[in-house]
Amino acid sequence: MKNIFALFLILMSISVLGNVPFRLSVNQLNFATLNENSRDSLPVTITNDFNGSIRIQLQFFGIFQDTAFSVSPSDFTIPQGGSRTVHVRFAPKHNVRYETAMMVQTTVGAGWAFSRPVFLSGNGVYTNAYYATSTNLSGEALKQALRTKMNQGLRVLSYNEARDSMYLRFDNWATNGRGAATNTLECVYTGRQISGFNSRTQVQNTPNDFNCEHTFPQGFFSSASPMLSDMHHLFPTDNNANNQRANTPFGVVLGAPTWSQGGSKLGGGVFEPRDVHKGAVARAMLYFGIMYGGNSTVQINYLTSQESTLKSWTNQFPPNAVDVRRNNDIARAQGNRNPLVDYPQLLNRMGMLSTNSDLPRSKSYWVSAQRTFSSTPSDEHRISIYNTGTDTLILGGSGSYSPANGFLWMSPGTTVIPPNSTSSLAFFWSGGTDSIVIPTNKAAGDRLVIQLFSSLSTQANFYQTQLLNLEDAWEIIDLPSGKVSVSLYDIQGRMMIQKTVFSTNMNISKADLLAGIYVLKVNVDGVEKVWKLKK
């Protein structure tokens, strides 16, 4: 066979991969349409064709921060000649089309890396038909669709009507399912409660002294309608707490607060509500950004500096039964819903709500292996590359490296991998040590490097091995599999420690060693690695 072999990058149809030590019963799973409360599973059988046991690891990739597909366990061993059936579960959280892959990968011996994808697809839908127009949308298009829907059928309440509904019905513990025997309100910021009232006037006057909190302050929309009476951002508060908050943006108070009560505090130019109300605050503010971001009366840039913190609070404090009931009650009164109470995960499909909400384009990729080795010229190698980003990944072009010992990279040819798609790097190779270097468009100067070794190469066996210098020991990690013999010598050549293990990780204690220089020799199946150490 000639000493020149072709190196090429091709889009995978994934029907045949040369010399992969396992077989898959299917290469694609198509799931039925499911809602966010449903799940389904389909089987894949993996058969071991190797002359020994193999360890299988399954890799999944998320869409809008939702890893809808999963297998448990995802890391297991299949004995020689055996097979294992796994059931891939589909449990969507978004009303979108899911198209991704499960990468089935294994490493045989000390470094042969193999992978094959099983392509996965399915559709998610929401049980609440109110959100049908948001299907398969993201970014600014999703925000606009939600805004349109939230304005359809909106009934603008008078301010008195909104406050009466809040005080006497929706936030009243005697009528909203929270079990009070008499009319009861609680300040969302301090936890102070009042009871025994029968009218808005009694709520607001002494001795009760309650007020209506506009979570998005009135001053930033000139107290205009419909924002003034939109109950999705109105809450009952103690007069003093309402005044303390004023129009201060929300955030985390660092250092000593200038005011605090009931868990809420003010300081450093921000107001931090108590934990029990953080989620509701965040969803009210972000609702306001979706609903009124296009209203010229609203100074929506007030939201900008707070968005990151508010989004973190929505994740940290998800909607509870009280939030859900309140959303339902308000929807019946004013005709629209807060989508972030119904489906908080919608936030993961939008960028900044106070500006253009398109998600930033990202370039990232997953590689099944970045090293491989062989001494058999006929062996075909394929390394899978999966585009995990939201932008197109381009591999190759000018700057591709063609090693001198027989590899040919087809430059300036390029391979384009769309988001949530996979390609394979396929090559033949006769042994030796070298690298394939492939430029990518991930970032300026980014290179995908594949290390190539002969199977007899010490570098190959110890390519991933690391020695960590800990306080009380040296730890060796990622040793090649096999019989590991370890010997430690002092500077005079005297053996201080000798042990044999069958493990890929091990510790060498420093406890009984004097300060000085030592030589560590690690032998794996006749191949030796040497370190010079100092205690």
Side-chain angles (χ1 to χ4, degrees):
M1 181 175 289
K2 293 183 179 180
N3 206 20
I4 301 293
F5 299 91
L7 175 66
F8 54 96
L9 201 64
I10 58 173
L11 287 174
M12 292 199 299
S13 61
I14 316 299
S15 57
V16 178
L17 291 181
N19 302 311
V20 175
F22 60 83
R23 285 175 285 131
L24 302 175
S25 59
V26 296
N27 58 31
Q28 185 168 344
L29 295 176
N30 300 311
F31 288 82
T33 298
L34 300 178
N35 64 46
E36 77 277 8
N37 299 318
S38 302
R39 63 185 62 183
D40 193 12
S41 64
L42 293 174
V44 177
T45 299
I46 307 168
T47 301
N48 181 3
D49 292 330
F50 188 61
N51 60 354
S53 63
I54 57 174
R55 177 188 178 186
I56 293 293
Q57 293 174 293
L58 306 177
Q59 178 75 38
F60 294 89
F61 308 97
I63 296 176
F64 300 121
Q65 301 180 38
D66 176 27
T67 306
F69 300 95
S70 63
V71 167
S72 182
S74 58
D75 189 332
F76 49 85
T77 299
I78 302 178
Q80 179 179 353
S83 62
R84 179 160 180 163
T85 298
V86 299
H87 289 83
V88 181
R89 188 183 73 167
F90 178 44
K93 295 303 178 187
H94 291 286
N95 59 340
V96 299
R97 170 74 174 172
Y98 289 81
E99 291 184 341
T100 180
M102 174 182 73
M103 301 303 297
V104 184
Q105 56 183 324
T106 188
T107 301
V108 176
W112 279 70
F114 300 90
S115 68
R116 292 184 68 177
V118 176
F119 293 103
L120 309 172
S121 65
N123 293 301
V125 296
Y126 286 154
T127 52
N128 192 333
Y130 184 84
Y131 298 98
T133 56
S134 68
T135 302
N136 288 324
L137 298 181
S138 63
E140 184 67 16
L142 174 59
K143 184 177 74 175
Q144 294 296 337
L146 291 173
R147 180 177 295 165
T148 298
K149 183 62 180 179
M150 292 154 67
N151 277 280
Q152 287 176 352
L154 175 66
R155 176 174 176 247
V156 180
L157 307 176
S158 71
Y159 190 34
N160 285 342
E161 186 180 5
R163 286 183 294 175
D164 286 343
S165 295
M166 179 177 68
Y167 294 146
L168 301 175
R169 296 167 56 200
F170 303 157
D171 291 297
N172 185 343
W173 286 31
T175 59
N176 70 355
R178 301 189 72 176
T182 60
N183 290 339
T184 301
L185 286 174
E186 180 178 278
C187 170
V188 294
Y189 290 146
T190 67
R192 182 172 80 86
Q193 292 188 352
I194 62 172
S195 61
F197 55 85
N198 293 300
S199 67
R200 171 168 36 93
T201 301
Q202 291 178 347
V203 168
Q204 296 179 157
N205 289 349
T206 304
N208 291 325
D209 294 325
F210 259 50
N211 206 333
C212 176
E213 165 72 331
H214 290 78
T215 309
F216 198 102
Q218 297 186 59
F220 292 101
F221 55 82
S222 303
S223 300
S225 182
M227 291 75 70
L228 179 68
S229 59
D230 189 330
M231 294 190 65
H232 285 299
H233 83 119
L234 305 185
F235 293 95
T237 56
D238 172 274
N239 273 345
N240 182 51
N242 185 286
N243 292 332
Q244 290 291 337
R245 191 262 161 145
N247 63 359
T248 308
F250 294 106
V252 177
V253 174
L254 303 175
T258 58
W259 171 89
S260 65
Q261 186 178 345
S264 296
K265 46 194 172 181
L266 175 70
V270 295
F271 184 90
E272 181 176 354
R274 59 186 181 142
D275 284 355
V276 73
H277 192 54
K278 278 178 178 165
V281 157
R283 286 181 287 276
M285 289 287 288
L286 297 170
Y287 159 89
F288 203 95
I290 297 172
M291 181 71 175
Y292 299 114
N295 189 313
S296 60
T297 305
V298 177
Q299 299 177 45
I300 200 62
N301 58 346
Y302 171 75
L303 177 62
T304 304
S305 64
Q306 307 173 61
E307 276 206 50
S308 178
T309 298
L310 295 172
K311 287 177 179 178
S312 71
W313 288 350
T314 64
N315 292 327
Q316 189 177 359
F317 304 99
N320 57 28
V322 174
D323 299 317
V324 171
R325 175 162 179 162
R326 190 176 198 271
N327 191 31
N328 291 335
D329 288 342
I330 292 173
R332 283 189 287 270
Q334 70 177 42
N336 75 340
R337 307 185 64 82
N338 184 342
L340 305 181
V341 175
D342 291 325
Y343 298 109
Q345 62 268 36
L346 284 166
L347 278 177
N348 297 332
R349 289 158 57 184
M350 293 179 283
M352 295 288 289
L353 299 181
S354 55
T355 59
N356 184 287
S357 297
D358 285 336
L359 292 165
R361 307 294 288 178
S362 65
K363 296 184 178 73
S364 60
Y365 55 84
W366 174 87
V367 183
S368 60
Q370 289 187 257
R371 64 163 181 152
T372 190
F373 57 88
S374 174
S375 59
T376 305
S378 61
D379 283 339
E380 178 185 336
H381 296 254
R382 288 185 185 242
I383 293 176
S384 296
I385 303 165
Y386 191 90
N387 183 352
T388 58
T390 58
D391 205 351
T392 299
L393 179 66
I394 300 175
L395 303 176
S398 60
S400 300
Y401 172 50
S402 300
N405 69 338
F407 302 96
L408 177 63
W409 171 247
M410 299 179 65
S411 178
T414 60
T415 292
V416 176
I417 309 177
N420 297 318
S421 300
T422 188
S423 270
S424 70
L425 177 67
F427 54 92
F428 294 94
W429 166 52
S430 60
T433 301
D434 218 315
S435 301
I436 301 170
V437 182
I438 307 169
T440 83
N441 69 333
K442 177 183 176 182
D446 184 68
R447 299 287 187 270
L448 170 58
V449 180
I450 309 296
Q451 299 283 347
L452 308 171
F453 301 102
S454 166
S455 60
L456 299 178
S457 165
T458 300
Q459 281 183 286
N461 286 329
F462 289 98
Y463 178 73
Q464 289 184 314
T465 301
Q466 300 179 57
L467 187 138
L468 306 179
N469 188 8
L470 308 179
E471 182 177 355
D472 299 320
W474 291 290
E475 182 177 5
I476 310 172
I477 62 174
D478 290 334
L479 283 161
S481 59
K483 180 180 179 182
V484 181
S485 298
V486 177
S487 303
L488 183 72
Y489 301 87
D490 67 11
I491 197 66
Q492 283 81 36
R494 294 175 295 187
M495 182 181 290
M496 310 301 295
I497 296 175
Q498 200 282 327
K499 61 174 68 176
T500 299
V501 297
F502 291 85
S503 175
T504 57
N505 296 324
M506 65 179 303
N507 284 326
I508 301 171
S509 175
K510 301 178 183 178
D512 298 325
L513 299 176
L514 299 174
I517 303 299
Y518 295 89
V519 175
L520 175 66
K521 295 183 178 182
V522 179
N523 187 293
V524 181
D525 294 335
V527 180
E528 189 172 76
K529 177 78 171 179
V530 179
W531 286 273
K532 184 178 180 180
L533 309 176
K534 181 179 180 180
K535 179 186 176 185

